[in-house]
Amino acid sequence: AVYHFGSKSGLILAVFDHVRRIGARAMARFGKLEQTPSGKLMSLFDAIADTVERGPELYRATTALLIDGAMSPDPAIRQRARDAETEALAVVKAMVDGCELRAGVDKTAATGAMLSALYGVQMRAFMMGDGFDVRAELNHLKEIGRAVLA
């Protein structure tokens, strides 16, 4: 199958692109269900849970690719891993920026904490495999998210 992509790097880059499209479709599907900025932010958790439940192996493989990609000797793969981080940050930042937060909650800090928590769930899902309930964990994050919303 590698010959179809020209190289191992080409295959890895194609997987990154495929996963990006899956994520974008999930976000679009769940984002349409919500009208308010805070509802759209909460829908992010549902979109992630839905994506994981539809393809847990792909989710775990993507996590491995992101980790390996960040340290890859191939500059194109390293850049794609950085791009994935930049895109994830932009999505979360745009959602948080659209929300009213409780007094004293800094939007930059909330964005960073939210993204770090999502990465934590991703890593735990990767490490624990089938024994980890991603939806339940993301629902806990939704509760925390609701606590900082005004």
Side-chain angles (χ1 to χ4, degrees):
V2 173
Y3 66 86
H4 178 74
F5 298 97
S7 66
K8 180 180 174 184
S9 294
L11 174 61
I12 291 170
L13 294 171
V15 171
F16 271 119
D17 290 342
H18 177 69
V19 170
R20 180 184 292 158
R21 286 189 301 273
I22 289 171
R25 283 193 304 265
M27 287 301 301
R29 186 171 57 251
F30 281 92
K32 287 179 186 175
L33 301 175
E34 296 292 339
Q35 300 302 313
T36 66
S38 59
K40 287 186 183 298
L41 178 61
M42 294 298 107
S43 74
L44 172 65
F45 300 107
D46 296 323
I48 293 169
D50 185 67
T51 301
V52 174
E53 289 170 351
R54 289 173 181 254
E57 297 82 12
L58 180 60
Y59 188 74
R60 285 194 287 273
T62 302
T63 303
L65 280 173
L66 287 169
I67 294 166
D68 288 345
M71 300 177 290
S72 174
D74 184 316
I77 293 174
R78 274 196 319 273
Q79 186 59 52
R80 193 63 56 90
R82 285 187 199 111
D83 291 347
E85 159 64 15
T86 300
E87 290 170 11
L89 178 61
V91 166
V92 174
K93 183 180 183 320
M95 290 183 166
V96 170
D97 283 350
C99 294
E100 289 295 321
L101 303 182
R102 290 192 187 278
V105 176
D106 179 72
K107 287 191 176 191
T108 300
T111 298
M114 180 98 43
L115 190 58
S116 293
L118 289 169
Y119 282 148
V121 170
Q122 183 177 15
M123 184 57 69
R124 291 184 68 207
F126 175 74
M127 299 292 286
M128 296 177 72
D130 294 336
F132 185 69
D133 187 345
V134 173
R135 187 168 297 275
E137 197 73 15
L138 290 167
N139 282 335
H140 296 313
L141 287 181
K142 282 171 78 170
E143 290 176 28
I144 293 168
R146 285 187 193 103
V148 300
L149 294 170

